Amino acid sequence: MFNLLSGEFYKLKKSKSLLVCCVITAVFVLVLYGMLMIVDKVRRGEIENGTGGIIYVSGEEVDENAKSLFDEITVMEVLRQMFCSFGSFATAVFAAIFVIGEYINGAAKNIVGKGYARWQIFLAKYIVVMASAVLQLLVLSAVTIICGAVVEGTEQFDAVFWKNFFGYIGIQILLGMAFVGVVSAVSEICRNLAAGISIGIGLVCFSSPLTMGMDLLAKLLFSQAEWKPSDFWLLDLASQCPVRDIRKGFAVHSIIVALIWVIFAAAVGIVHIRKADIK
C-alpha cells in the first residue's frame, strides 16, 4: 500500500493537469476581483459603463462619493463565491482526469498485473485525489486572501477575521474532499474521460436544483419532519456554510455528513474495481 501511495503521489507531483487546475483557479480569482474593481469604478463614474465588456445595470445614479463596492463585498464573501462555484468545478475536473487517465493510458492494467490488490489500487488513488483537492482549495484561499489584501487593504484582517477564515475553509475543504471522493467513485465506474468530466460538472451545476425539488417533495410527504434531503448533500452544505459565526451544530453536522460520503464513495469504488474488468 505504501508503494502504491508513493507512486500516486509521484504521479500527482508530475501531473500537469493539477498545475493547470491550480493556475486556472488563481486566474479566476484575479478575473473576479478585476470585474469587481471595474464595477466599483463604474458606480463612481470613474470609467464608462461597458469597459472591458462589463455592463453594470442598477437603479442607482452614478455618484463619485458613493461607498466602495468592497465595503459591501468582503474577502470572505469573495472566498465563499469561489468555493461554491469554480472551486468545485476545478476539483471535480481534476479528479475525473486523474482517475480515468489510468485506464486510458493502460497504467491501471499494468499495476493490477503486478499483483497489487484492486482495493488497494483504488484506495491509494482515492487518497491522493482528495489530497489534490486540499491543495487546490488552499491555493484558491491563498490567492483570494492576497488579492483581497491588495485590493481592499489589510484592515479587515483582525483576530475575528482569521477565526472565521480558518473555521470556514476547514469545513469547506472537508466537504470538498468528500465531493471529489464522490467524483472519483463515479469516474472509476464510468472510466470514460468525457463522461467523467461531464458527470462531475453536472453534479456541480444541477445537483442543488435537484435537491431543492427533493426538499419540496419531502415537505409534501413528511410535513412534520424537521430534516430535508439538501441537509445531507455536500454542495448544499457548502453553499449554506456561513462565512462568520459558524454554529457548532452546523459544523458537527457537516463533518459527519462529509465523513459518511467519504466512506460511502470509497466503498462503492472498491466494490466496483474488484468486480469490473480492467482492459
Side-chain angles (χ1 to χ4, degrees), residues 69-141:
L69 182 66
F70 294 107
D71 290 336
E72 305 170 12
I73 302 176
T74 65
V75 172
M76 291 299 293
E77 293 292 345
V78 174
L79 189 63
R80 180 179 187 176
Q81 181 64 33
M82 292 303 301
F83 265 112
C84 297
S85 57
F86 190 75
S88 300
F89 275 104
T91 54
V93 169
F94 174 79
I97 293 173
F98 193 72
V99 173
I100 297 173
E102 297 288 279
Y103 297 99
I104 295 176
N105 60 27
K109 185 176 181 179
N110 292 334
I111 295 174
V112 170
K114 293 180 180 180
Y116 291 105
R118 291 192 178 194
W119 70 268
Q120 292 180 325
I121 296 172
F122 174 78
L123 190 59
K125 188 168 293 294
Y126 188 78
I127 293 171
V128 172
V129 167
M130 288 196 292
S132 73
V134 174
L135 177 60
Q136 291 178 72
L137 295 176
L138 287 176
V139 168
L140 183 152
S141 302

Side-chain angles (χ1 to χ4, degrees), residues 7 15 19 23 35 70-71 75 107 126 134 148 167 171 176 211 218 222 240 242 256 260 274 278:
S15 174
L19 176 60
V23 170
M35 293 174 62
F70 294 107
D71 290 336
V75 172
Y126 188 78
V134 174
I171 292 176
T211 55
F222 311 101
Q240 294 167 12
I256 292 174
I260 290 173
R274 291 179 67 180
I278 297 179

Side-chain angles (χ1 to χ4, degrees), residues 213-225 227:
M214 294 172 65
D215 287 348
L216 292 174
L217 181 61
K219 187 175 181 180
L220 291 174
L221 297 177
F222 311 101
S223 57
Q224 302 301 320
W227 58 272

